[in-house]
């Protein structure tokens, strides 16, 4: 399956649209099934406790809230084009801005990305990678879709538990835009001479990358 980036319906819906709310609920279920929050917690536990985290494409803030609840002294900045969720704890600095124009890459040492990078073509990923290379970021923790047809079949089974039609559409195109092997670090332009890069996939459709500066 060749990688193909297609617009997702959720990105065009108002925040309060019923389909948008249903799809975000489904995404929380998908993240639980993929073990996303547990994976990020495990990866962060291997880093120093005074890590300054920057999450790009923070969405509804679910990952941010989970991590600051688990790591009480974590310094956390979240970037997204949508407004901050209600009742956001003071530990999280929420920036409503574009991740390509943000100046916050210079104040963090660990970058987190969950289900965001697959939205971008290779040229945009190269631009983002260049910003990261020039920043103070020392580690990258990334969880994205794995681009295999079997995961589209798994997604289709979500109909049995009531997944919204937006979730079923967007999930399919997300998988088509996902990654395999070393495609993501290569698209970001991360040189193995400068970065220690590890990628892995799971049977539940995860593509994960951990990159640390040498």
């Amino acid at each position: 399956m060749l990688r193909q980036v297609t617009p997702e319906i959720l990105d065009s819906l108002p925040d309060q649209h019923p389909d948008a709310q249903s799809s975000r609920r489904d995404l929380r279920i998908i993240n639980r099934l993929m073990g996303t929050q547990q994976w990020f917690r495990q990866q962060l536990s291997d880093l120093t406790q005074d890590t300054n985290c920057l999450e790009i494409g923070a969405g509804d803030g679910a990952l941010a809230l989970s991590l600051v609840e688990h790591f009480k002294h974590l310094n956390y900045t979240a970037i997204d084009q949508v407004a901050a969720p209600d009742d956001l704890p003071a530990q999280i600095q929420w920036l409503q801005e574009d991740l390509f124009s943000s100046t916050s890459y210079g104040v963090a040492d660990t970058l987190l990305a969950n289900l965001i990078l697959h939205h971008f073509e290779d040229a945009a990923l190269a631009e983002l990678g260049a910003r990261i290379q020039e920043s103070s970021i020392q580690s990258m923790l990334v969880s994205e879709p794995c681009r295999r047809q079997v995961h589209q079949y798994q997604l289709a089974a979500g109909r049995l538990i009531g997944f919204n039609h937006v979730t079923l559409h967007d999930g399919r195109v997300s998988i088509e835009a996902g990654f395999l092997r070393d495609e993501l670090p290569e698209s970001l332009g991360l040189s193995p001479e400068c970065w220690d890069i590890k990628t892995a996939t799971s049977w539940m459709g995860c593509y994960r990358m951990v990159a640390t500066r040498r």
Side-chain angles (χ1 to χ4, degrees), residues 164-213:
N164 182 272
H165 72 96
V166 173
T167 306
L168 295 171
H169 171 274
D170 287 359
R172 177 179 56 78
V173 301
S174 292
I175 293 167
E176 291 173 351
F179 304 97
L180 290 171
R181 298 178 291 277
D182 291 330
E183 290 176 342
L184 180 56
E186 289 174 357
S187 295
L188 290 168
L190 304 183
S191 168
E193 296 179 356
C194 301
W195 295 82
D196 179 21
I197 302 167
K198 298 177 182 177
T199 63
T201 59
S202 78
W203 70 278
M204 280 301 293
C206 302
Y207 174 97
R208 281 164 178 160
M209 181 188 80
V210 177
T212 306
R213 284 195 200 261

Side-chain angles (χ1 to χ4, degrees), residues 14-200:
D15 289 345
Q16 300 306 314
H17 193 287
D19 283 339
Q21 294 179 338
S22 294
S23 187
R24 291 193 183 93
R25 175 209 62 200
D26 296 342
L27 282 172
R28 289 192 287 271
I29 295 172
I30 290 170
N31 275 307
R32 283 200 298 271
L33 292 172
M34 295 172 77
T36 300
Q37 294 179 3
Q38 295 90 330
W39 182 79
F40 277 102
R41 285 200 296 265
Q42 178 59 52
Q43 298 305 316
L44 280 177
S45 68
D46 295 334
L47 302 175
T48 163
Q49 287 299 305
D50 59 356
T51 295
N52 295 306
C53 289
L54 173 67
E55 183 187 355
I56 57 174
D60 64 359
L63 178 61
L65 291 167
S66 169
L67 292 177
V68 299
E69 181 179 352
H70 188 80
F71 299 99
K72 300 301 183 183
H73 302 292
L74 200 64
N75 299 311
Y76 206 100
T77 301
I79 297 175
D80 203 289
Q81 291 183 320
V82 302
D86 294 335
D87 301 322
L88 199 70
Q91 191 177 349
I92 301 173
Q93 180 186 14
W94 189 279
L95 303 177
Q96 187 176 359
E97 58 188 22
D98 184 89
L99 63 90
F100 287 96
S101 59
S102 173
T103 60
S104 297
Y105 296 91
V107 297
D109 48 55
T110 301
L111 183 140
L112 285 69
N114 178 42
L115 299 181
I116 181 64
L117 299 183
H118 69 278
H119 288 87
F120 306 120
E121 301 278 5
D122 287 350
L125 291 173
E127 178 185 346
L128 179 62
R131 292 179 62 85
I132 293 169
Q133 291 272 65
E134 297 168 358
S135 75
S136 60
I137 299 294
Q138 298 298 307
S139 301
M140 297 179 61
L141 307 177
V142 179
S143 182
E144 294 290 331
C146 176
R147 194 178 71 254
R148 292 196 178 101
Q149 193 170 44
V150 63
H151 304 313
Q152 292 184 329
Y153 298 142
Q154 290 172 324
L155 174 71
R159 288 189 176 90
L160 301 177
I161 57 173
F163 275 6
N164 182 272
H165 72 96
V166 173
T167 306
L168 295 171
H169 171 274
D170 287 359
R172 177 179 56 78
V173 301
S174 292
I175 293 167
E176 291 173 351
F179 304 97
L180 290 171
R181 298 178 291 277
D182 291 330
E183 290 176 342
L184 180 56
E186 289 174 357
S187 295
L188 290 168
L190 304 183
S191 168
E193 296 179 356
C194 301
W195 295 82
D196 179 21
I197 302 167
K198 298 177 182 177
T199 63

